[in-house]
Amino acid sequence: MGESLTLHTGVKKEKDGLIVWFSGSDNKVLAKLNVKADSVKTFRSDVSLNYESGSLTIQNPLPIPQITRISKYELLCSVLNVSRVTLSWYNGTSLISSTSASDSHINLSLPLELEYEENNIYS
């Protein structure tokens, strides 16, 4: 079935409790557990909610980019087997470089080359 990511509530389920999982900056509802109404509702096909624990499981979550040091002054950000992805390098809040792909199941990389040792923060 592929990989999954499970997020735990860390709270004790009460007999008339409500657990709601949100996602994104727009606070879109992913799932609701209403103990009093004895119901579980999910709003995406890749999400499931455990009635007993309130834990949220996401099937095939987004891959996490890997950052590798190539040399003293070069880093490489890469992600494997993805579709519709954008990789970006930032110096503080300033965008330095970016690359995107919309093909299915490709490997995408974005290097960051520094001219000298800097004390800047890159992400």
Side-chain angles (χ1 to χ4, degrees):
M1 183 178 211
E3 294 184 30
S4 66
L5 170 69
T6 299
L7 305 171
H8 303 280
T9 62
V11 298
K12 183 180 176 188
K13 192 172 77 172
E14 302 292 331
K15 66 179 180 176
D16 60 347
L18 177 67
I19 296 173
V20 182
W21 285 93
F22 297 94
S23 173
S25 59
D26 59 352
N27 286 326
K28 193 170 197 168
V29 176
L30 291 177
K32 285 183 184 179
L33 167 61
N34 187 333
V35 179
K36 189 174 187 177
D38 195 29
S39 71
V40 172
K41 185 167 185 176
T42 58
F43 297 90
R44 285 184 11 190
S45 62
D46 62 341
V47 169
S48 62
L49 191 60
N50 182 297
Y51 182 81
E52 296 303 316
S53 67
S55 298
L56 181 79
T57 300
I58 303 170
Q59 294 298 323
N60 300 314
L62 294 175
I64 298 171
Q66 301 298 311
I67 298 175
T68 308
R69 180 176 292 278
I70 302 300
S71 68
K72 186 173 181 178
Y73 301 115
E74 185 176 10
L75 299 173
L76 183 67
C77 180
S78 57
V79 65
L80 305 176
N81 198 23
V82 295
S83 58
R84 294 185 310 248
V85 68
T86 299
L87 295 178
S88 303
W89 280 110
Y90 288 85
N91 181 351
T93 58
S94 299
L95 177 65
I96 299 171
S97 62
S98 184
T99 187
S100 298
S102 58
D103 297 336
S104 66
H105 306 294
I106 66 160
N107 300 337
L108 187 65
S109 296
L110 181 63
L112 173 65
E113 294 181 35
L114 306 174
E115 293 188 25
Y116 53 88
E117 197 166 330
E118 301 178 20
N119 291 328
N120 294 326
I121 297 174
Y122 294 94
S123 59

